[in-house]
Amino acid sequence: MKWGIVIAVIFLIIGGYIYISSASGDIEPLGRLGLVKLANPDMYPGHPHSELLAKYAEERGSKCALVVHFAGSSNYRSYQEGDVYIIELAFHDTQGNGAAGNVNYLDSLKVALFGVPDGRYTYKSDGIVFNSYDDAMDHVYKLAKKHGQQGPIPMVWHGTARSGNPIITQGCGYPLYFDIVRREYGIIPAYYYTLKGMLLPYFDDPYRNFELSHASELQYYYTHGLINYE
C-alpha cells in the first residue's frame, strides 16, 4: 500500500512538472500527423494531411500550425490552408544521409538520451537555411506573429514513413519534434509529449485505416513517382 502511495506521488510530481513547464510555452506539441505519404508534394494546400493539420489548429483557435520534417529536396515553403497558416520547418543531419536514408536507431537513441550536439543540424524553412536552432525558431515565431498567431503554436511531426512498417518507424520529422520539445520544455516533457504524440494518428487521423492497410503500395507509389500531382 505504501509503495502505491509513493508511486502515485511520483506520478503527480512528474505530471505537475510537465504541466507547469509547458503551460506558458510558445509551442503546443500535438504529435504525429500521418503514417504514410498519400501524395506528393505531401504538405501542400488541399492535401489531406494539410487539411487535417489545419483542422487541429482551428479546433484550438489557432491561426497557425507548425509541421516539422527531415530535410529532403523541398524548400519547405510555408503556405495558407484555409484560415490557417501552415509553417514548415525541416532539419538536415550533417552526419546522416538525408530524408531518403535508412533510420539509424542507435543514433536516434543517443539523441533522445543526450540531446543533439551543437552544430550537427542545419534547418530549412521557406528556402532559407539556418545554421542554428535559435535562428530557425526566430523565423517560425516571426511568421506566426505576422499571420496573427496568439498563444502557443500547435506542432506536429510529419510522421510519414517512406519505407518499413509505419507503426514502428515514426517517420519524417520525429527527431526534430523531440528536440524542439526538449529545448523548449525539458527532457521529461519531451518524452511525455513524444510518447503521447505517437498515438495521435490512431485516434484523430481519418485516413489511418487506409494508410495502414495500403502502406506498402503507397510507399512504392511514392518512391517511384506515381502519386505526384505537381
Side-chain angles (χ1 to χ4, degrees), residues 179-192:
D179 193 50
I180 289 175
V181 181
R182 182 186 65 84
R183 288 175 185 264
E184 297 293 326
Y185 301 126
I187 190 66
I188 294 176
Y191 286 127
Y192 169 76

Side-chain angles (χ1 to χ4, degrees), residues 15-163:
Y17 168 74
I18 292 170
Y19 175 79
I20 292 170
S21 64
S22 59
S24 60
D26 295 319
I27 296 291
E28 180 183 357
L30 301 185
R32 185 179 184 180
L33 180 60
L35 298 166
V36 293
K37 298 174 185 291
L38 296 174
N40 184 44
D42 45 22
M43 285 303 296
Y44 189 84
H47 186 285
H49 288 153
S50 179
E51 292 178 340
L52 179 61
L53 179 54
K55 174 178 172 289
Y56 289 159
E58 288 173 343
E59 289 173 346
R60 291 160 176 79
S62 180
K63 296 288 187 182
C64 299
L66 173 62
V67 55
V68 298
H69 303 269
F70 193 16
S73 59
S74 171
N75 283 323
Y76 300 97
R77 298 284 181 189
S78 304
Y79 61 90
Q80 196 74 34
E81 180 67 75
D83 295 328
V84 175
Y85 192 69
I86 306 292
I87 302 171
E88 297 199 76
L89 177 66
F91 80 95
H92 173 250
D93 185 350
T94 59
Q95 298 180 19
N97 298 314
N102 294 324
V103 178
N104 185 331
Y105 290 101
L106 178 59
D107 183 65
S108 296
L109 177 61
K110 290 179 180 178
V111 169
L113 291 174
F114 305 112
V116 179
D118 291 338
R120 175 167 173 175
Y121 289 168
T122 59
Y123 306 82
K124 184 187 287 188
S125 179
D126 297 299
I128 306 168
V129 176
F130 302 94
N131 291 317
S132 75
Y133 173 84
D134 289 339
D135 288 345
M137 293 305 293
D138 184 58
H139 174 74
V140 168
Y141 292 134
K142 284 180 178 178
L143 281 177
K145 183 178 180 180
K146 179 180 177 181
H147 289 86
Q149 180 66 23
Q150 295 181 351
I153 307 169
M155 178 181 70
V156 297
W157 78 86
H158 192 197
T160 53
R162 67 174 63 217
S163 63

Side-chain angles (χ1 to χ4, degrees), residues 160-211:
T160 53
R162 67 174 63 217
S163 63
N165 187 329
I167 296 175
I168 298 172
T169 302
Q170 292 302 307
C172 176
Y174 172 67
L176 180 54
Y177 176 94
F178 181 91
D179 193 50
I180 289 175
V181 181
R182 182 186 65 84
R183 288 175 185 264
E184 297 293 326
Y185 301 126
I187 190 66
I188 294 176
Y191 286 127
Y192 169 76
Y193 283 115
T194 301
L195 291 171
K196 178 184 176 184
M198 289 178 182
L199 302 177
L200 180 66
Y202 301 102
F203 291 99
D204 291 337
D205 180 0
Y207 314 106
R208 65 185 179 279
N209 292 338
F210 177 79
E211 292 177 57

